[in-house]
Amino acid sequence: MKIINLTKIYQIKNGEPVKALDDVSFDLPNKGMVFLLGKSGSGKTTLLNLLGGLDTFDGGDIVFGNKSLKNFTSSELDSFRNTCCGFVFQDYNLLPEFTVAENVALSLEIQSKQASKEEISQALKSVDLEGYENRKITELSGGQKQRISIVRALVKTPDVIFADEPTGALDSNTGDDILNLLKQLSKTKLVVVVSHDREFALKYADRIIELKNGKIISDTEKDFEEKQPKAWQMQKSGMPFKAAVKIGMSSFKLHPIKLVATVLLAVLTFVIFGTFLTATLTEQNVVTINSLADKGVNVAVYNKTVAIKDDGKMNAKFCNADLTVL
Ligand code: ADP
Ligand code: MG
């Protein structure tokens, strides 16, 4: 997803227009967890809504795949929202008087798809809410409601999940559960999380885009080596080779038997691998024909070609095929 010079202006009835997004440009990857961080009023929700096609913009463009959202027809925009994007909101946006199963099914019915009972129970299982199909939304805790709203987003198998303050109404432990779940999902799809909570962002994000007054003030990727806030840098880094060897050797120091077993296993692996290589690389047909020649067989049909003894040896350069001794 490419965001190019995106601008959003809200017209106020009796007042100055509000520039909620001011010339914002950045790219989003296909997977990973990206946090949009900023104080209240900085433009996070506005940006998220534009990315998910929930609102229109006044300048710039969003390119999804090879298509520009600006040029989407209204039915293309509907399909983008309904099939490519999953939404998770702070206040869940579930239908409170309906059951869990009905809420989840509705998400698919919007796409003119039917959800089988199997599919729904499988989806509920994935968020540890197996058997909750017939519960009413009003009979669930906040964390459970949020997990249902994640299921509702997931059954659409979207490319991107947009979550606006998904932990805003939850206590911090339940918030951790939800962010862990979203983090899990971000291994295979893009998850964009809006949050004002720097601590959560530092803990879970692969990348933090910080907004202030409708502008990006920083865009950082996580340094995977350390967990301190200072470790946020523009480039990624890995474990140095020396450190990796040290850590590896320290385990052997503690367990000498482990070292002997590892060496034996390595030798065994090399022997097996070597034998296997010799067996496969030595042309089977050469071996077979030469051994036939040794036994005094003069002529054989090999791959429909007649091999004739030449200077006391058979010409054995043939491809694999059935061998018939004449
Ligand atoms: P955040 O999600 O970071 O709290 P928002 O994106 O909701 O910020 O809002 C950004 C700015 O746009 C704020 O100044 C807010 O008052 C204004 N704004 C948001 N939505 C509307 C709206 N529907 N009409 C007018 N102004 C709005
Ligand atoms: Mg907001």
Side-chain angles (χ1 to χ4, degrees):
M1 213 175 204
K2 271 186 185 312
I3 292 86
I4 308 155
N5 305 118
L6 201 64
T7 299
K8 171 75 182 176
I9 299 164
Y10 289 114
Q11 301 298 338
I12 310 287
K13 264 189 185 162
N14 304 310
E16 289 277 318
V18 177
K19 212 176 211 181
L21 274 185
D22 189 0
D23 202 21
V24 164
S25 300
F26 60 95
D27 286 359
L28 284 172
N30 292 334
K31 58 183 178 183
M33 200 163 196
V34 179
F35 267 64
L36 302 178
L37 183 70
K39 292 197 176 125
S40 176
S42 55
K44 309 179 296 290
T45 296
T46 302
L47 178 55
L48 199 79
N49 289 348
L50 297 189
L51 296 178
L54 294 176
D55 204 351
T56 55
F57 40 88
D58 300 290
D61 205 352
I62 297 171
V63 179
F64 183 78
N66 290 323
K67 290 204 86 179
S68 142
L69 253 71
K70 201 166 55 180
N71 301 328
F72 273 8
T73 62
S74 68
S75 72
E76 278 175 325
L77 198 59
D78 270 349
S79 134
F80 171 71
R81 273 193 297 254
N82 291 331
T83 63
C84 301
C85 307
F87 298 95
V88 176
F89 301 96
Q90 174 172 355
D91 50 5
Y92 324 118
N93 273 23
L94 296 163
L95 297 169
E97 286 312 301
F98 284 75
T99 65
V100 164
E102 284 165 340
N103 267 275
V104 176
L106 198 68
S107 165
L108 280 174
E109 280 160 24
I110 289 169
Q111 288 183 47
S112 318
K113 283 183 193 160
Q114 281 278 315
S116 68
K117 276 189 177 168
E118 265 300 43
E119 274 175 300
I120 292 179
S121 77
Q122 201 59 36
L124 291 175
K125 203 174 166 185
S126 74
V127 297
D128 273 330
L129 287 175
E130 208 175 0
Y132 277 68
E133 281 88 338
N134 296 323
R135 282 274 189 107
K136 273 197 177 173
I137 297 301
T138 47
E139 298 166 337
L140 298 175
S141 73
Q144 289 172 334
K145 282 182 198 163
Q146 199 56 301
R147 276 189 273 162
I148 296 302
S149 81
I150 291 173
V151 168
R152 181 189 55 183
L154 277 183
V155 290
K156 302 198 294 179
T157 58
D159 299 302
V160 191
I161 290 185
F162 295 108
D164 196 349
E165 305 272 8
T167 64
L170 306 173
D171 63 66
S172 77
N173 280 344
T174 316
D176 268 318
D177 291 345
I178 294 299
L179 285 171
N180 272 319
L181 181 57
L182 290 171
K183 181 80 186 175
Q184 197 62 28
L185 300 174
S186 75
K187 287 183 181 152
T188 53
K189 54 184 83 220
L190 177 63
V191 177
V192 183
V193 180
V194 155
S195 177
H196 63 272
D197 192 330
R198 188 173 298 273
E199 220 171 280
F200 268 145
L202 289 170
K203 194 165 171 189
Y204 292 101
D206 297 318
R207 177 178 167 195
I208 298 177
I209 298 172
E210 196 169 359
L211 292 167
K212 190 179 178 183
N213 297 329
K215 281 184 182 290
I216 293 179
I217 55 166
S218 71
D219 187 344
T220 47
E221 277 193 41
K222 193 171 193 178
D223 175 351
F224 291 97
E225 213 183 341
E226 293 173 50
K227 289 259 159 62
Q228 299 305 313
K230 268 189 197 156
W232 287 83
Q233 290 172 2
M234 289 309 284
Q235 82 270 30
K236 297 171 187 164
S237 70
M239 187 190 288
F241 180 67
K242 252 177 144 178
V245 171
K246 249 187 188 171
I247 291 169
M249 292 315 286
S250 71
S251 144
F252 289 140
K253 256 186 206 163
L254 282 174
H255 311 283
I257 295 170
K258 222 182 195 178
L259 175 63
V260 175
T262 308
V263 170
L264 280 179
L265 210 67
V267 170
L268 195 68
T269 309
F270 277 117
V271 169
I272 292 172
F273 189 60
T275 313
F276 172 75
L277 268 187
T278 315
T280 45
L281 292 182
T282 311
E283 275 184 78
Q284 199 61 52
N285 48 6
V286 175
V287 175
T288 314
I289 290 174
N290 283 342
S291 74
L292 282 171
D294 287 345
K295 282 181 184 142
V297 176
N298 287 342
V299 182
V301 174
Y302 197 83
N303 200 19
K304 289 182 189 158
T305 308
V306 182
I308 302 167
K309 203 173 181 191
D310 178 17
D311 295 339
K313 289 225 163 190
M314 278 224 199
N315 182 357
K317 293 210 183 294
F318 301 103
C319 3
N320 285 331
D322 289 334
L323 179 70
T324 313
V325 178
L326 296 178

